[in-house]
Amino acid sequence: MKWTEASVVPVRVFSTDEVSDLVRRDGAAVLTGVPDERTALSAGLRSLGTKGVRIGRQIEATQRNEAAQARAVAEQPSDDKGRKRAFTLATERMPPHNDGYAFGDFAPDHLFLWCERPAAVGGDSFLVDTSRLLDLFAADPDNADMIPFCWNVAVDHSEPNYPQDRLQPLVRLTPRGRFQGRYHPYLSAADGPTRERDRTFVRRWEHAVLSARDHGPMFRLEAGDLLCIDNYRMLHGRDSHNDPRRRLCAIWGWSTDAVSLPEGALDINDPWAAAASSTGA
């Protein structure tokens, strides 16, 4: 299946000095031998080099915390389209996504996932390269019409109950020249006369992304691994597991290449609280 060519297994390295070039070239890398979260934060910041602006832990992914977040999400009402924000439990395979998609332009441009303890069984990771996905569409005459749509037609990137301030295309070059390709499970066509037509394009993008996830290779993060990701380019997620002792920390990083830099912490249950007073990076 051709979409699996967009699935990526990152190179494993032992030195922070190698991470920056690999992330720039491949979109991701795994730094091994990271003993604790403090070292992971330091390594992530070093990998950003002179462009590093801010880094910090966003979430600790455990079944306990996942359950608490799921309860918080469940208490929120449906939006005007009848949609309700969901949360992927440990026993479910994650949808591919860029971290922080609910925050729009305030999402981090770099993501670091530090594994303290992997699941005994399951929980393997996957990566989908949206730039490679775009190349695959371009090379297929039956899908060539996806290219102008992806670049030029604005769609709704909002989560239920968290509307973003403007519509944007699926892929773009950021003001600082970074490629950005996005996907999350709430993507929808914009309201208007072409909504039904645009919906078919969004579904084709979704089909390709999910095919790459479901049929492409996965890889395992072991204890002490730090997965370093270009969060603008790569979609990520993990397979299902049922191990309450699994612990992984998501660390968000912003560089001077980021579209916008939030001043305060970004809250998964209140996405715009900190972003409202933020500035461009």
Side-chain angles (χ1 to χ4, degrees):
M1 186 172 293
K2 64 184 176 184
W3 306 122
T4 63
E5 295 179 31
S7 297
V8 173
V9 175
V11 174
R12 303 179 71 86
V13 297
F14 300 92
S15 168
T16 309
D17 296 335
E18 301 176 76
V19 170
S20 297
D21 289 341
L22 282 171
V23 171
R24 186 163 45 249
R25 186 191 75 184
D26 300 337
V30 175
L31 179 64
T32 64
V34 180
D36 51 46
E37 186 180 338
R38 181 177 179 180
T39 306
L41 286 163
S42 177
L45 186 59
R46 287 202 306 275
S47 75
L48 298 180
T50 58
K51 291 186 175 183
V53 175
R54 170 178 160 188
I55 195 168
R57 184 218 278 192
Q58 178 66 19
I59 189 172
E60 175 193 329
T62 65
Q63 283 194 13
R64 173 178 52 81
N65 284 349
E66 287 175 348
Q69 288 169 345
R71 285 194 299 273
V73 166
E75 292 171 357
Q76 297 176 14
S78 299
D79 68 3
D80 57 2
K81 297 179 181 179
R83 304 178 306 167
K84 193 164 186 174
R85 192 172 175 223
F87 190 85
T88 307
L89 297 175
T91 51
E92 303 170 324
R93 178 176 289 188
M94 274 187 172
H97 62 285
N98 317 90
D99 250 27
Y101 57 82
F103 304 110
D105 286 345
F106 297 104
D109 61 324
H110 290 83
L111 169 65
F112 305 91
L113 300 175
W114 176 67
C115 180
E116 180 176 358
R117 186 187 185 281
V121 177
D124 290 358
S125 297
F126 60 81
L127 292 169
V128 178
D129 185 345
T130 59
S131 66
R132 178 58 180 149
L133 206 61
L134 203 65
D135 290 342
L136 293 172
F137 276 116
D140 181 358
D142 293 333
N143 280 297
D145 57 346
M146 280 291 294
I147 303 306
F149 178 84
C150 288
W151 282 105
N152 300 316
V153 178
V155 300
D156 185 356
H157 291 265
S158 297
E159 273 198 89
N161 291 311
Y162 294 107
Q164 295 182 20
D165 57 354
R166 59 194 173 105
L167 303 173
Q168 296 178 351
L170 291 171
V171 302
R172 65 174 178 173
L173 290 181
T174 70
R176 290 167 179 80
R178 289 268 297 279
F179 174 87
Q180 187 176 28
R182 288 179 281 185
Y183 173 80
H184 63 79
Y186 304 107
L187 278 176
S188 64
D191 292 334
T194 62
R195 178 176 174 80
E196 290 305 313
R197 183 205 67 186
D198 294 349
R199 183 179 293 170
T200 64
F201 285 100
V202 173
R203 286 175 176 168
R204 282 159 67 186
W205 181 252
E206 178 179 50
H207 170 75
V209 166
L210 295 180
S211 294
R213 176 198 68 175
D214 291 339
H215 302 285
M218 290 191 174
F219 57 96
R220 184 171 176 81
L221 292 178
E222 302 292 353
D225 283 347
L226 180 66
L227 176 57
C228 310
I229 302 172
D230 178 345
N231 191 49
Y232 281 178
R233 171 180 165 187
M234 308 297 286
L235 309 174
H236 74 281
R238 53 112 185 102
D239 204 357
S240 60
H241 71 89
N242 193 22
D243 187 345
R245 295 179 297 168
R246 175 185 182 269
R247 184 170 184 264
L248 183 141
C249 290
I251 297 168
W252 289 5
W254 287 262
S255 74
T256 54
D257 288 338
V259 177
S260 294
L261 178 67
E263 291 182 350
L266 297 177
D267 183 353
I268 191 171
N269 294 313
D270 190 6
W272 296 109
S277 60
S278 303
T279 59

